[in-house]
Amino acid sequence: MTSERQRLIIGEAVEVELPVARLATRATAVAIDAFLQIVILFALNIALAQAAIEANIAVQATLSILTLVFVFVVWPVAFETFTRGRSPGKFALGLRVVRDDGGPIRFRHALTRGLIGVAVEWPGLLLAPLTWIFGSACILFTARAKRLGDLAAGTIVLVERLPDLSRTPIVMPPELAQWARDLDLTGIDDALAMTLRQFLTRAQGMRAEARVSLGRRLADEIYQSTTPPPPPGTPAWAYLTAVLAERRRREAERLAARRAVVALGAPGLPDHRNSVSPQ
């Protein structure tokens, strides 16, 4: 089954496609939330039992109902509302509920999801566990893996926490290694280097048209800031990757040289052991 993705706008005004959360991930998030709800319910029941020892049966029944409403309706709805679509389970797994158009949910979305969840999903007051099976099938066979609450509220659940690509190593294209050693990189400041790094690490999440367009514009800017030009026929992605890889290689060499000199105790040289390397 092909994974559905939702396009969202990030700070660089580029559409990034986030994958829709599937059944296994969502079930794990629900299990975490359910465990916490049961713990809270147990603790509240103990506290209310101590406080209502001398109360009559009607008062105890009312308190029990209010406790259930708080744990299974008020608490999850308030949590998703104030965190813009994240329950404790979703937070742990990097998920978030958003509107169908990708915007943040509001109270009415959280309330609709919460009420339907209590009725037919978790805990499922109507014909559980049959409704659990139906809800799971709904996630499996709807286009955006929607449960019943999502269908009614107009929401979807996305995998927001993707792998941290910022730590992905930038590998020098072998055919450009010798050319890159003669590059004059003095025109590339830290801000431009950061922009280049963000583009290269996020390129796979961009639409093809946006990736090509931004790559060409960034290559033109880098081209004007460096010499000599790349070999004829060099693709933009290879050119940009080589520039950033060479800049990082030189920074690593400078840092290693500083540390070596400091380790030898050279007089008059400031201690850079606690300095932060440039981007």
Side-chain angles (χ1 to χ4, degrees):
M1 182 179 294
T2 302
S3 176
E4 291 290 327
R5 289 175 177 261
Q6 173 72 18
R7 289 176 178 173
L8 296 180
I9 305 298
I10 61 174
E12 292 83 2
V14 175
E15 285 187 332
V16 175
E17 296 179 339
L18 298 179
V20 173
R22 293 294 171 177
L23 179 60
T25 308
R26 295 187 64 170
T28 304
V30 169
I32 294 173
D33 291 334
F35 173 77
L36 293 176
Q37 287 175 314
I38 292 172
V39 170
I40 294 172
L41 182 63
F42 182 73
L44 288 177
N45 282 334
I46 292 178
L48 291 176
Q50 296 296 326
I53 290 177
E54 299 180 358
N56 58 40
I57 296 178
V59 172
Q60 292 181 6
T62 300
L63 291 176
S64 296
I65 293 173
L66 290 176
T67 300
L68 290 173
V69 171
F70 172 79
V71 172
F72 292 109
V73 179
V74 176
W75 186 69
V77 169
F79 214 102
E80 283 197 353
T81 300
F82 290 113
T83 62
R84 298 293 184 91
R86 305 182 90 179
S87 65
K90 291 183 181 67
F91 181 83
L93 295 178
L95 310 181
R96 185 185 293 275
V97 183
V98 299
R99 301 194 308 262
D100 283 339
D101 62 2
I105 65 169
R106 301 187 184 278
F107 171 73
R108 64 183 178 86
H109 302 98
L111 179 62
T112 301
R113 287 168 49 82
L115 292 177
I116 293 179
V118 168
V120 297
E121 293 168 335
W122 169 255
L125 302 180
L126 303 176
L127 299 177
L130 291 179
T131 53
W132 299 350
I133 298 173
F134 183 76
S136 299
C138 190
I139 294 176
L140 283 173
F141 297 110
T142 53
R144 289 178 161 184
K146 290 193 171 197
R147 67 175 178 85
L148 297 176
D150 291 318
L151 291 172
T155 58
I156 53 177
V157 179
L158 301 181
V159 180
E160 185 183 52
R161 188 185 304 153
L162 298 175
D164 183 7
L165 298 178
S166 65
R167 298 181 181 275
T168 302
I170 304 297
V171 180
M172 170 70 71
E175 66 277 13
L176 297 178
Q178 186 60 43
W179 163 82
R181 289 184 176 272
D182 297 326
L183 268 175
D184 179 5
L185 298 176
T186 55
I188 300 181
D189 57 16
D190 289 343
L192 182 55
M194 180 65 70
T195 301
L196 177 55
R197 182 184 65 81
Q198 289 177 342
F199 169 75
L200 291 175
T201 54
R202 290 179 174 177
Q204 294 303 315
M206 297 179 184
R207 291 181 297 121
E209 312 90 79
R211 181 171 62 248
V212 172
S213 176
L214 283 175
R216 286 175 178 171
R217 293 207 304 265
L218 192 53
D220 289 341
E221 186 174 359
I222 298 293
Y223 184 85
Q224 296 173 9
S225 304
T226 62
T227 55
T234 300
W237 68 265
Y239 172 50
L240 296 176
T241 302
V243 170
L244 185 59
E246 179 62 18
R247 190 173 191 271
R248 286 189 168 185
R249 185 190 69 79
R250 295 181 189 182
E251 288 175 352
E253 284 187 351
R254 284 195 296 269
L255 183 59
R258 287 179 182 175
R259 287 175 174 169
V261 173
V262 170
L264 293 174
L269 187 68
D271 190 342
H272 292 282
R273 283 173 291 185
N274 295 322
S275 64
V276 179
S277 61
Q279 292 294 331

